[in-house]
Amino acid sequence: QQLDSIGFAWDSLEHSWNEKFDQLCAFKAENGHCNVSIHDAQYKSLGQWVNKQRVSYKKNSLSSNRIEQLSSIGFTWKECGYLWEDKFD
């Protein structure tokens, strides 16, 4: 109970995923999209995480809960899809 009271993360992988998701939400609030480039030095780690989510989705290894969470914030599953939509608008 003492560990719970200080916010101890029992599942470090879940905690890490949620931290990155929160970072992505903040990125979207600032930039208006979820397409984080791995080439942007400031967001390189987040960009790698975003890419990993797309790869996991493509391999059907991303849980439905995570797919739902990412979709709820307008996550684009295909990077080229975002670029096409951006050019089309």
Side-chain angles (χ1 to χ4, degrees):
Q1 286 180 342
Q2 288 178 330
L3 291 174
D4 287 334
S5 72
I6 62 168
F8 183 79
W10 291 101
D11 183 343
S12 62
L13 291 176
E14 183 72 17
H15 179 72
S16 177
W17 193 92
N18 287 326
E19 280 187 336
K20 288 293 188 192
F21 180 76
D22 290 344
Q23 289 175 21
L24 181 60
C25 290
F27 178 90
K28 183 181 181 187
E30 187 176 315
N31 297 282
H33 60 83
C34 297
N35 192 40
V36 186
S37 174
I38 60 172
H39 303 292
D40 184 337
Q42 182 179 358
Y43 298 107
K44 185 171 184 154
S45 175
L46 184 59
Q48 290 169 335
W49 181 83
V50 164
N51 188 54
K52 183 177 179 183
Q53 303 316 299
R54 288 185 177 125
V55 169
S56 295
Y57 177 78
K58 188 183 267 189
K59 291 181 176 180
N60 292 319
S61 62
L62 195 61
S63 74
S64 59
N65 182 45
R66 289 182 175 175
I67 292 169
E68 189 176 309
Q69 278 183 272
L70 290 164
S71 294
S72 75
I73 62 166
F75 188 82
T76 304
W77 294 103
K78 292 183 179 181
E79 185 177 12
C80 61
Y82 169 80
L83 296 173
W84 185 86
E85 290 167 10
D86 188 45
K87 299 290 185 207
F88 185 76
D89 289 340

